[in-house]
Amino acid sequence: EVIDSLKMKVPELFGLKKRYYSFQRDEWNFIFLDGNDLSLTAFPKNSEEYQISEKYFESFSLKSEWWNGGIGNKQMSWLKRQLSKSQNNQIKVMIFCHFPVINNPKRKT
């Protein structure tokens, strides 16, 4: 688990310039999504990103696990543009996204 004061630095520590991105190689467009774009674990509790995530989960009365994530509107619009561009150029697409496989049932938000 990452403490709040370090959460915003995680992508940088992994060498990521952006939280989601794509690149093309030959006839393939490789798309990497940020599954924690909407997250109660990826951002400090006092951050704007946390507040947006909290409102999103509350507005839909989502009864999901505390560790779940989601893709926000900005990233979803970007993904749709990526897919449309790939389709128009007849480029194959592979999408990657990460979510936790095992949760810690003792952890509460």
Side-chain angles (χ1 to χ4, degrees), residues 5 15 52 57-59 71 75 85 90 93:
S5 63
I52 291 169
F57 286 102
E58 287 174 0
S59 70
I71 295 173
Q75 185 177 182
K85 181 180 171 185
Q90 298 182 342
V93 173

mmCIF file of all heavy atoms in Angstrom, residues 5 15 52 57-59 71 75 85 90 93:
data_model
loop_
_atom_site.group_PDB
_atom_site.id
_atom_site.type_symbol
_atom_site.label_atom_id
_atom_site.label_comp_id
_atom_site.label_asym_id
_atom_site.label_seq_id
_atom_site.Cartn_x
_atom_site.Cartn_y
_atom_site.Cartn_z
ATOM 1 N N SER A 5 0.918 10.667 0.709
ATOM 2 C CA SER A 5 1.866 11.691 0.257
ATOM 3 C C SER A 5 2.698 11.250 -0.952
ATOM 4 O O SER A 5 3.286 12.087 -1.630
ATOM 5 C CB SER A 5 2.795 12.091 1.406
ATOM 6 O OG SER A 5 3.566 10.978 1.819
ATOM 7 N N GLY A 15 8.481 5.330 -14.414
ATOM 8 C CA GLY A 15 8.986 5.843 -15.673
ATOM 9 C C GLY A 15 7.905 6.256 -16.658
ATOM 10 O O GLY A 15 8.176 6.416 -17.845
ATOM 11 N N ILE A 52 -13.355 13.566 -7.216
ATOM 12 C CA ILE A 52 -14.080 13.212 -8.444
ATOM 13 C C ILE A 52 -14.479 11.737 -8.406
ATOM 14 O O ILE A 52 -15.615 11.380 -8.719
ATOM 15 C CB ILE A 52 -13.242 13.522 -9.697
ATOM 16 C CG1 ILE A 52 -13.106 15.039 -9.871
ATOM 17 C CG2 ILE A 52 -13.833 12.876 -10.942
ATOM 18 C CD1 ILE A 52 -12.080 15.459 -10.909
ATOM 19 N N PHE A 57 -18.554 7.321 -7.760
ATOM 20 C CA PHE A 57 -19.051 6.096 -7.147
ATOM 21 C C PHE A 57 -20.347 6.347 -6.373
ATOM 22 O O PHE A 57 -21.264 5.531 -6.413
ATOM 23 C CB PHE A 57 -17.982 5.469 -6.245
ATOM 24 C CG PHE A 57 -16.875 4.800 -7.008
ATOM 25 C CD1 PHE A 57 -15.645 5.419 -7.170
ATOM 26 C CD2 PHE A 57 -17.066 3.553 -7.579
ATOM 27 C CE1 PHE A 57 -14.630 4.800 -7.888
ATOM 28 C CE2 PHE A 57 -16.044 2.919 -8.298
ATOM 29 C CZ PHE A 57 -14.824 3.556 -8.455
ATOM 30 N N GLU A 58 -20.438 7.480 -5.700
ATOM 31 C CA GLU A 58 -21.654 7.816 -4.952
ATOM 32 C C GLU A 58 -22.826 8.111 -5.880
ATOM 33 O O GLU A 58 -23.957 7.710 -5.609
ATOM 34 C CB GLU A 58 -21.399 9.021 -4.040
ATOM 35 C CG GLU A 58 -20.535 8.690 -2.845
ATOM 36 C CD GLU A 58 -20.177 9.923 -2.019
ATOM 37 O OE1 GLU A 58 -20.599 11.050 -2.376
ATOM 38 O OE2 GLU A 58 -19.462 9.756 -1.012
ATOM 39 N N SER A 59 -22.583 8.811 -6.986
ATOM 40 C CA SER A 59 -23.673 9.220 -7.879
ATOM 41 C C SER A 59 -24.375 8.036 -8.528
ATOM 42 O O SER A 59 -25.549 8.109 -8.859
ATOM 43 C CB SER A 59 -23.164 10.175 -8.958
ATOM 44 O OG SER A 59 -22.333 9.496 -9.874
ATOM 45 N N ILE A 71 -12.506 4.180 -15.559
ATOM 46 C CA ILE A 71 -11.968 5.089 -16.570
ATOM 47 C C ILE A 71 -12.874 6.319 -16.632
ATOM 48 O O ILE A 71 -14.083 6.193 -16.835
ATOM 49 C CB ILE A 71 -11.881 4.379 -17.932
ATOM 50 C CG1 ILE A 71 -10.864 3.245 -17.828
ATOM 51 C CG2 ILE A 71 -11.506 5.350 -19.037
ATOM 52 C CD1 ILE A 71 -10.791 2.363 -19.042
ATOM 53 N N GLN A 75 -10.409 10.245 -20.327
ATOM 54 C CA GLN A 75 -9.694 9.089 -20.859
ATOM 55 C C GLN A 75 -10.573 8.299 -21.822
ATOM 56 O O GLN A 75 -10.101 7.813 -22.851
ATOM 57 C CB GLN A 75 -9.204 8.181 -19.724
ATOM 58 C CG GLN A 75 -8.368 7.031 -20.203
ATOM 59 C CD GLN A 75 -7.828 6.161 -19.090
ATOM 60 O OE1 GLN A 75 -7.111 5.220 -19.375
ATOM 61 N NE2 GLN A 75 -8.123 6.423 -17.837
ATOM 62 N N LYS A 85 -9.549 6.281 -34.970
ATOM 63 C CA LYS A 85 -8.382 6.500 -35.830
ATOM 64 C C LYS A 85 -7.823 5.161 -36.327
ATOM 65 O O LYS A 85 -7.497 5.013 -37.505
ATOM 66 C CB LYS A 85 -7.315 7.272 -35.057
ATOM 67 C CG LYS A 85 -6.065 7.576 -35.830
ATOM 68 C CD LYS A 85 -5.085 8.346 -34.958
ATOM 69 C CE LYS A 85 -3.735 8.484 -35.623
ATOM 70 N NZ LYS A 85 -2.753 9.125 -34.749
ATOM 71 N N GLN A 90 -7.376 1.182 -40.664
ATOM 72 C CA GLN A 90 -7.340 -0.284 -40.724
ATOM 73 C C GLN A 90 -6.143 -0.855 -39.965
ATOM 74 O O GLN A 90 -5.412 -1.721 -40.445
ATOM 75 C CB GLN A 90 -7.366 -0.765 -42.173
ATOM 76 C CG GLN A 90 -8.630 -0.366 -42.897
ATOM 77 C CD GLN A 90 -8.690 -0.889 -44.316
ATOM 78 O OE1 GLN A 90 -7.690 -1.267 -44.900
ATOM 79 N NE2 GLN A 90 -9.887 -0.909 -44.870
ATOM 80 N N VAL A 93 -5.779 -3.323 -33.046
ATOM 81 C CA VAL A 93 -5.635 -2.695 -31.728
ATOM 82 C C VAL A 93 -5.501 -3.768 -30.653
ATOM 83 O O VAL A 93 -6.200 -4.783 -30.684
ATOM 84 C CB VAL A 93 -6.857 -1.811 -31.416
ATOM 85 C CG1 VAL A 93 -6.806 -1.289 -29.987
ATOM 86 C CG2 VAL A 93 -6.961 -0.668 -32.400
#
